[in-house]
Amino acid sequence: MGLVSKAVSLLALVAFGWYLVRITLVSMQLFYPTLHVPVLKPHVKLPPGTTFHAMAWQEPFEYEAAMYVSTMESFLPQPEQFLNSSELIWHVGPESLSQRRAKFDTKLSITLPETVRTNNDTVLYAFLFVQKAGKMNPHPDLTDEFAAYARAALTSVRPRQVERKHALLGESSEGKENREVSNALLEAGPWVPHGKTRVSWEIVLEDHKFPEWSFPLDLAPYLRVSKYRGRKERPYIPLIWENPIAARAKHWTPLTNQTSVSQDTPLDVKTIDVDVNLNGIILGWFRLCNYAHQGLSELSSPRALIRHSESDVDNLKEMVYEVNPTMLAITIIAMTFHMLFEFLAYKEDVSFWSGKSESNLQGISRSSMLMKFASSWISFFYLYDRRKDTNIVVLLGAGAGAMVEAWKLTKVLSVRDFLPFMRASKAPATVDSKDKSADSADAVLRDQVQREVDQQTAWYMVRVCVPAMIAYAAFSLVFLHHESYISWFLHVSLASVYTLEFIQMWPQLFINHKLKTVDMLPLTAFLYRFLLTFIDDLYALVVPMPLIERIGTLRDDVVFIVLCYQWYKFPRRKTDKQKKE
């Protein structure tokens, strides 16, 4: 068994190393597509005389920008008509970009045109033009081949967000009737016009040289090559776009107070407040956001094999866009270590318990095992009830963990532990007459300490924890808002699970303290769990989650710190193999 365990660990480490190398190569490809690294990323052999595409703009970048709003989808067919019908709402102007990292932001109040307010099918667009200083006099030169421009939709027809949570007690009949109407409309799909309150323009001013007509496939739709005849090489215009993952569901506000509208229903809102920013970014950030947008679009698509809710997609958008890029990179690396440590922890746990039997379980807390079993299955059922909003990988992981806990429980408990008459018939552990050694006496001591601590734990659970959870359940029912009584029950159950998971290790810590040893625990598995807790702490700082889950992520640190202190303080006892030697 030891040889197989070492082989599995070695395979896991090899797979982890390969995965880490793949992440490094992908990162290099994203951020430096033309970089040459021997062996890892060699140059592709090009025929002699191959020309390269360089960026059309040269340093120092002195430019100005202008933002227009219009109901026209494009300005290319009729530039003059576009300038006459559009409205200039923002102008940045002439600036010198010395570090390629421009950052301009403002808050605009945009008046909706009459055509948009009276016809819900009309879309309002924002156009951003960036070109060399002096070209705008006063409007941009739409015939300039070196001008960079992008478009963003400011209005869209989207489902109205209806707040489902409400007070379960003390709700008036009128409020209940309005809630039932809102829920019925939500299920029917109340699509109403919305306005975007956040527009994030981004421009890439890094000069990367690409072989002739050999652009990366993800960049090709966004690149424009100049047809300027004065040069042999055809330069490309800097990449510019409106970052699609910057705006989430909360950045769309309804333009009408009505729950259902027709095409000709006038809009109630006349102006929308929009946060606008223009940032200079690196090529790697542009490509990362582009890949994230494509992947998230597939996850939320009706054709997706496992469709994710809009809230899940928004959480992923927030994790990518709002977090500092350095912290995001650290999180991705930590994610790989998390997968490795979690696999090794499960392996060590299963390896430890597979060799256990009823005769060598002294010193292991049954109450901790029962609480872990209950908390894991309640968590699994909670996630299964929310399976529409839960990632299938998370759900399968919770199910696998619950099955492992059930299997471990069969190692420490049997039917007679729950039946008084069978428990009484069980012969107490005594010292073997053939071997009156210290080991037999120590086994009796461990069994006595374990039973004493488990009885004390049950006493505190009944007299302290249960009343506290009842009080919290009553507080949640009276003062907090929930979708239904089932939602309230699941919320209270989840809080109970977090409480159980916090106290489930304390009985074992007391046993360790009284016996002055930690030999009865799978320390290798606990070491991996200890590392996992700190990686989860990093997730709690980066990944958006409710406060109760964030607290639940940080709660295990205290227990593991105490366990590490015990492991350091108490001397390790000799194993049977060492004693024979």
Side-chain angles (χ1 to χ4, degrees), residues 96-388:
S96 177
L97 185 62
S98 58
Q99 298 181 353
R100 304 171 183 257
R101 300 291 181 270
K103 186 172 181 62
F104 306 100
D105 55 78
T106 186
K107 190 175 186 65
L108 304 175
S109 181
I110 301 176
T111 302
L112 297 178
E114 190 66 22
T115 54
V116 176
R117 296 188 62 243
T118 57
N119 188 348
N120 296 331
D121 286 342
T122 304
V123 180
L124 184 64
Y125 296 98
F127 293 84
L128 181 71
F129 300 92
V130 183
Q131 56 187 177
K132 190 174 181 180
K135 289 284 188 178
M136 298 185 184
N137 190 20
H139 298 295
D141 183 4
L142 302 184
T143 61
D144 183 10
E145 291 185 305
F146 293 102
Y149 53 83
R151 186 190 70 177
L154 294 179
T155 60
S156 176
V157 178
R158 301 167 52 87
R160 174 187 290 274
Q161 300 294 325
V162 178
E163 180 59 47
R164 286 180 174 270
K165 293 184 178 181
H166 58 281
L168 298 178
L169 299 180
E171 185 180 18
S172 62
S173 58
E174 182 180 357
K176 184 177 181 180
E177 181 179 354
N178 293 335
R179 176 173 52 83
E180 292 177 352
V181 172
S182 298
N183 289 338
L185 288 172
L186 180 63
E187 295 175 358
W191 291 71
V192 298
H194 284 66
K196 185 184 293 185
T197 60
R198 184 182 196 178
V199 177
S200 297
W201 304 105
E202 294 178 343
I203 184 170
V204 180
L205 295 175
E206 289 184 333
D207 190 4
H208 294 273
K209 298 184 184 300
F210 300 99
E212 188 175 13
W213 308 117
S214 297
F215 299 108
L217 293 179
D218 58 305
L219 298 180
Y222 302 96
L223 279 171
R224 290 174 40 241
V225 177
S226 173
K227 299 179 182 179
Y228 181 59
R229 299 179 180 178
R231 298 181 181 180
K232 182 179 178 181
E233 302 84 4
R234 292 190 173 183
Y236 63 89
I237 311 304
L239 291 163
I240 185 171
W241 72 343
E242 188 244 347
N243 196 320
I245 67 173
R248 303 185 293 278
K250 68 178 184 179
H251 297 118
W252 290 91
T253 180
L255 299 180
T256 178
N257 298 325
Q258 304 180 38
T259 56
S260 180
V261 296
S262 62
Q263 178 180 349
D264 300 328
T265 303
L267 300 180
D268 301 319
V269 178
K270 297 182 179 180
T271 61
I272 53 176
D273 295 328
V274 185
D275 293 321
V276 181
N277 57 72
L278 171 62
N279 299 323
I281 60 172
I282 60 178
L283 181 63
W285 175 252
F286 182 95
R287 302 185 71 186
L288 177 63
C289 292
N290 188 25
Y291 277 118
H293 171 61
Q294 294 177 6
L296 295 176
S297 298
E298 288 295 328
L299 291 178
S300 58
S301 172
R303 301 185 301 272
L305 179 62
I306 303 175
R307 186 179 181 183
H308 290 63
S309 65
E310 186 179 25
S311 60
D312 286 340
V313 174
D314 280 352
N315 287 338
L316 293 173
K317 286 182 178 181
E318 182 178 357
M319 186 180 69
V320 174
Y321 186 80
E322 299 294 345
V323 177
N324 182 277
T326 302
M327 181 63 70
L328 180 62
I330 295 175
T331 304
I332 294 175
I333 296 175
M335 179 185 66
T336 61
F337 282 97
H338 185 279
M339 292 188 295
L340 173 67
F341 293 146
E342 189 169 25
F343 174 79
L344 293 177
Y346 272 117
K347 180 193 72 71
E348 292 294 335
D349 210 14
V350 172
S351 177
F352 174 83
W353 286 97
S354 61
K356 288 292 182 180
S357 61
E358 191 174 356
S359 61
N360 59 355
L361 289 173
Q362 296 84 6
I364 295 179
S365 174
R366 269 70 168 175
S367 59
S368 292
M369 299 293 295
L370 279 171
M371 284 186 286
K372 181 64 176 176
F373 169 80
S375 63
S376 61
W377 278 98
I378 291 175
S379 297
F380 171 71
F381 286 129
Y382 176 82
L383 293 174
Y384 181 77
D385 183 74
R386 301 294 182 89
R387 56 188 179 276
K388 292 183 179 179

Side-chain angles (χ1 to χ4, degrees), residues 498 502 537 540 545-556:
Y498 287 149
F502 179 70
D537 293 345
M545 61 179 64
L547 178 62
I548 187 173
E549 295 187 10
R550 198 179 300 274
I551 295 175
T553 303
L554 303 174
R555 73 187 183 278
D556 294 335

